[in-house]
Amino acid sequence: EQILEAAKAIAAATSALVKAAGYAQRELV
Amino acid sequence: MPVFHTKTIEAILDPVAQQVSQLVILHEEAQDGNAMPDLSNPVMAVSAAVQNLVKVGKDTANSTDDKILKQEMPPAFTGVEESSNKLAEAAMELKRDPYSSPARKKLIDGARGILSGTSDLLLCFDQSEVRKIVRVAKGVLEYLAVSEVVECLEDLVTFVKNLSPGMANMANKVTSRSKELTHTAHANGLINHTENLKRTTPVLVSSMKIFVTVLKKGGAGRDEAQQNRNYIIGCMSHDVNEIIRILQLTSADDDELS
């Protein structure tokens, strides 16, 4: 359960990073 | 797009995988000519999340008695940590040159690496859970062999008392597992073999009862009764072996059940 929560946190942080990088170019869906 | 083995892993990683794919398309179509913003903060957030996953993973690996899990964890940790470092380098390079193409490529590689590394780590733990179910199934398989030495009604009662909870436990675990799999053929294979076992368990008990009764009445028809019982044991053992085999397949083994 802890592993899944930690993986969810990585997914959320990576998503925020990719969005930040993508928004600079063109809005990501 | 990566194929995720279980619905849990897919639910966590698939949305991010799609976002990374879009970023890759932007990069490959050369539509990323604008200046990249300072990504230091989001990269630090990823790094912190990676460190937390590695810590939780190491704690879990240290506390488990699954030797395979202990062996497979370190390379998975390394993969995700290296990708996190790559992201940090990309962010630094982009801060110096917000138009740097190699830094953008490094950013994409890092994001992809985080995804695949996290997927690998989750798969390690998932396979550890699978091994627990396989152990239960192997216990059932071993116990099925006991049916061949049952020769009196008292032993038959004991056999059924022991087999029933083991079989029910395995069926519950395998059914739950089948609901978790993204690969439909694998899921259906597990369901079909479990249903076969549910159907044939009472048939096995009947065949054993006939065998025991034949022995009690002097042994006439013993060979036929024994052959019938052994045939059913063979069918059930085949189903359990297939369950064990399918449980251990991953999404990469797409054609195994075709």
Side-chain angles (χ1 to χ4, degrees):
Chain A
E1 198 59 37
Q2 277 186 316
I3 292 282
L4 292 180
E5 289 307 313
K8 282 178 191 171
I10 286 189
T14 308
S15 173
L17 168 67
V18 171
K19 279 180 181 172
Y23 282 144
Q25 321 307 326
R26 193 172 68 186
E27 191 166 324
L28 291 173
V29 178
Chain B
M1 287 286 289
V3 177
F4 298 108
H5 183 51
T6 70
K7 289 176 184 169
T8 301
I9 298 176
E10 186 180 57
I12 295 171
L13 297 179
D14 194 52
V16 196
Q18 291 188 26
Q19 291 171 342
V20 173
S21 292
Q22 285 180 287
L23 194 64
V24 172
I25 292 167
L26 289 179
H27 182 73
E28 287 176 353
E29 289 180 346
Q31 291 180 4
D32 53 356
N34 296 340
M36 196 67 87
D38 182 2
L39 298 173
S40 305
N41 285 339
V43 163
M44 274 168 58
V46 172
S47 172
V50 164
Q51 283 170 25
N52 183 51
L53 178 71
V54 171
K55 184 190 171 299
V56 171
K58 281 182 178 170
D59 289 347
T60 310
N62 287 336
S63 61
T64 184
D65 52 4
D66 184 336
K67 288 177 184 169
I68 299 172
L69 181 61
K70 280 182 194 289
Q71 279 175 0
E72 288 181 345
M73 291 296 287
F77 289 142
T78 306
V80 77
E81 282 174 322
E82 280 176 1
S83 297
S84 179
N85 292 339
K86 198 175 265 188
L87 286 179
E89 286 170 21
M92 276 196 296
E93 288 170 23
L94 284 167
K95 204 171 179 179
R96 281 198 299 271
D97 175 8
Y99 295 94
S100 167
S101 183
R104 285 163 199 241
K105 188 178 179 306
K106 195 178 273 186
L107 185 78
I108 288 169
D109 286 348
R112 277 175 161 164
I114 293 283
L115 270 179
S116 67
T118 307
S119 175
D120 289 348
L121 261 172
L122 291 177
L123 200 58
C124 279
F125 283 100
D126 183 67
Q127 291 302 299
S128 177
E129 292 303 309
V130 167
R131 286 191 285 277
K132 289 177 189 169
I133 309 174
V134 167
R135 275 201 292 276
V136 172
K138 283 184 174 170
V140 169
L141 196 60
E142 284 171 14
Y143 200 68
L144 275 177
V146 174
S147 60
E148 293 187 28
V149 297
V150 171
E151 294 192 337
C152 68
L153 204 56
E154 193 184 10
D155 288 350
L156 176 59
V157 170
T158 307
F159 176 82
V160 174
K161 266 186 186 170
N162 291 334
L163 180 70
S164 300
M167 193 65 87
N169 184 28
M170 183 186 75
N172 287 338
K173 284 182 160 50
V174 173
T175 302
S176 297
R177 179 66 185 170
S178 71
K179 290 174 184 166
E180 251 293 291
L181 295 178
T182 55
H183 198 291
T184 313
H186 295 182
N188 288 342
L190 290 179
I191 292 166
N192 291 340
H193 289 293
T194 305
E195 288 303 315
N196 284 349
L197 285 169
K198 283 180 184 171
R199 203 170 47 246
T200 46
T201 300
V203 182
L204 171 68
V205 175
S206 292
S207 74
M208 291 172 72
K209 199 172 174 183
I210 291 169
F211 180 71
V212 166
T213 308
V214 164
L215 287 186
K216 198 177 177 184
K217 288 184 175 173
R222 177 197 165 112
D223 286 352
E224 292 82 354
Q226 190 173 29
Q227 278 169 18
N228 184 44
R229 181 203 65 192
N230 289 352
Y231 171 74
I232 295 159
I233 296 168
C235 291
M236 292 180 76
S237 298
H238 169 75
D239 282 317
V240 180
N241 274 319
E242 277 300 287
I243 284 172
I244 291 169
R245 188 180 71 82
I246 297 167
L247 280 171
Q248 294 175 104
L249 296 176
T250 64
S251 300
D253 307 309
D254 274 2
D255 298 327
E256 288 287 329
L257 283 182
S258 60

